[in-house]
């Protein structure tokens, strides 16, 4: 295996993780908004919602990275 192939695979993995994180962030923000709104009956502010979405997305992507064997 060539050194360039290893770098290419690392960049591909980073791009995949970024895409997964973005999709998770968008999905989790909408899910968290509806869940918090229906459960507590409060309208959540954008900064709190954004922070919760980023935190949850980071945790999931980090778990994927830790448990990925390939």
């Amino acid at each position: 295996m060539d050194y360039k192939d290893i770098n290419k695979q690392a960049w591909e993995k980073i791009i995949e993780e970024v895409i997964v994180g973005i999709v998770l962030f968008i999905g989790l923000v909408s899910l968290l908004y509806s869940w918090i709104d229906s459960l507590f009956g409060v309208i959540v502010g954008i900064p709190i919602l954004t922070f919760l979405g980023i935190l949850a997305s980071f945790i999931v992507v980090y778990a994927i990275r830790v448990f990925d064997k390939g």
Side-chain angles (χ1 to χ4, degrees), residues 21-66:
I22 290 171
V23 170
L24 274 173
F25 173 74
I26 293 170
L28 286 172
V29 165
S30 62
L31 182 70
L32 287 171
Y33 179 76
S34 64
W35 180 73
I36 291 172
D37 185 34
S38 66
L39 187 64
F40 298 113
V42 238
I43 295 181
V44 184
I46 293 173
I48 294 172
L49 198 58
T50 303
F51 173 74
L52 290 175
I54 289 172
L55 180 66
S57 298
F58 176 78
I59 290 171
V60 171
V61 170
Y62 182 75
I64 290 171
R65 178 174 259 208
V66 167

Side-chain angles (χ1 to χ4, degrees), residues 7-20:
N7 277 343
K8 183 177 178 187
Q9 290 175 0
W11 279 105
E12 288 175 349
K13 190 170 191 114
I14 290 171
I15 290 171
E16 288 174 0
E17 290 173 353
V18 167
I19 291 172
V20 167

